[in-house]
Amino acid sequence: SQKIEQNSEALNIQEGKTATLTCNYTNYSPAYLQWYRQDPGRGPVFLLLIRENEKEKRKERLKVTFDTTLKQSLFHITASQPADSATYLCALEADGNNRLAFGKGNQVVVIP
Amino acid sequence: NAGVTQTPKFQVLKTGQSMTLQCAQDMNHEYMSWYRQDPGMGLRLIHYSVGAGITDQGEVPNGYNVSRSTTEDFPLRLLSAAPSQTSVYFCASRRAHHRTDTQYFGPGTRLTVL
């Protein structure tokens, strides 16, 4: 069966350190993968997209990698700040019909 | 631009009642979709539309109807609400012909069915 797995345990991290989140998938062949941020009581907000032929993508303090052999994406927040505390969702192309499938999300708590 | 708007923000229904969740976008996006988010389940696709007059089912369509008469609006109808439909509902939109374009989400509707 198809699965997208993100760590269900919250990641508690000290301010200034790098937070790293993992997204593993099974039985998908996505042409791209996306990461979203979701704050409590709000809708997800798009952060980054990485295509299957890209190994790494950066945006300010965010970095995403995509390994299609391992079927895994890593999401890094460098120099983390308390304002980075949120839940981060991984999403990937589920099929050729424009449909996205989402992981359950991974909460990050940045401790001042 | 207001982006993607959803109404109402909160709703309580009794089992068997019907209602429509409203979604509108002002970005001229062809692709619109409805998701539900439940604790521990992640976002699941209910229905989606690639343009006015075209809709299709997602992962969990049972109990929900949609229509798309205009580019801007994509309402979600619950015909006979059930407690299992208690959830947070998100509408999203993006340009259809660019699969990798940014998807914009609305603020959500929190629905409780008693």
Side-chain angles (χ1 to χ4, degrees):
Chain A
S1 63
Q2 294 176 314
K3 285 186 203 174
I4 302 171
E5 292 177 305
Q6 295 186 255
N7 197 337
S8 56
E9 283 188 27
L11 175 65
N12 295 311
I13 191 160
Q14 209 68 36
E15 183 176 2
K17 301 289 187 187
T18 297
T20 297
L21 306 180
T22 304
C23 175
N24 294 305
Y25 60 91
T26 308
N27 291 327
Y28 286 104
S29 298
Y32 60 87
L33 190 145
Q34 301 180 353
W35 285 88
Y36 290 79
R37 170 186 172 135
Q38 187 173 23
D39 292 289
R42 294 183 175 264
V45 174
F46 172 81
L47 294 175
L48 279 166
L49 177 146
I50 185 164
R51 292 177 172 80
E52 60 181 337
N53 60 351
E54 297 174 318
K55 293 282 188 230
E56 181 180 297
K57 201 80 168 280
R58 291 176 186 259
K59 179 183 174 183
E60 297 171 356
R61 295 184 294 107
L62 307 180
K63 185 178 88 169
V64 171
T65 63
F66 190 11
D67 189 325
T68 55
T69 303
L70 290 179
K71 297 187 183 298
Q72 180 182 81
S73 175
L74 298 179
F75 176 82
H76 307 271
I77 308 171
T78 58
S80 58
Q81 303 168 0
D84 295 325
S85 298
T87 296
Y88 293 87
L89 310 176
C90 160
L92 51 81
E93 182 188 39
D95 56 34
N97 289 327
N98 296 312
R99 301 202 289 188
L100 283 179
F102 281 82
K104 295 176 185 177
N106 196 177
Q107 186 183 10
V108 171
V109 177
V110 181
I111 303 161
Chain B
N1 283 354
V4 180
T5 57
Q6 290 183 240
T7 55
K9 286 193 187 310
F10 301 94
Q11 183 70 49
V12 179
L13 291 177
K14 294 183 180 175
T15 297
Q17 286 185 316
S18 63
M19 80 157 295
T20 300
L21 307 186
Q22 301 292 345
C23 173
Q25 52 89 12
D26 61 359
M27 297 173 281
N28 203 30
H29 287 169
E30 301 95 341
Y31 183 88
M32 296 185 73
S33 53
W34 276 101
Y35 292 86
R36 61 178 287 174
Q37 187 173 41
D38 302 292
M41 295 291 291
L43 284 159
R44 291 183 292 168
L45 182 66
I46 305 171
H47 285 286
Y48 67 100
S49 168
V50 297
I54 306 169
T55 63
D56 207 346
Q57 295 181 349
E59 185 185 351
V60 287
N62 292 342
Y64 306 96
N65 272 1
V66 291
S67 60
R68 185 95 179 268
S69 55
T70 67
T71 300
E72 295 77 20
D73 301 297
F74 190 42
L76 178 72
R77 279 182 285 277
L78 282 70
L79 303 175
S80 178
S84 61
Q85 293 179 304
T86 294
S87 188
V88 181
Y89 292 84
F90 291 102
C91 179
S93 77
R94 65 168 168 77
R95 292 190 295 173
H97 301 297
H98 302 267
R99 286 152 56 211
T100 56
D101 264 12
T102 300
Q103 178 156 248
Y104 296 88
F105 281 84
T109 294
R110 186 174 293 273
L111 176 68
T112 302
V113 182
L114 303 175

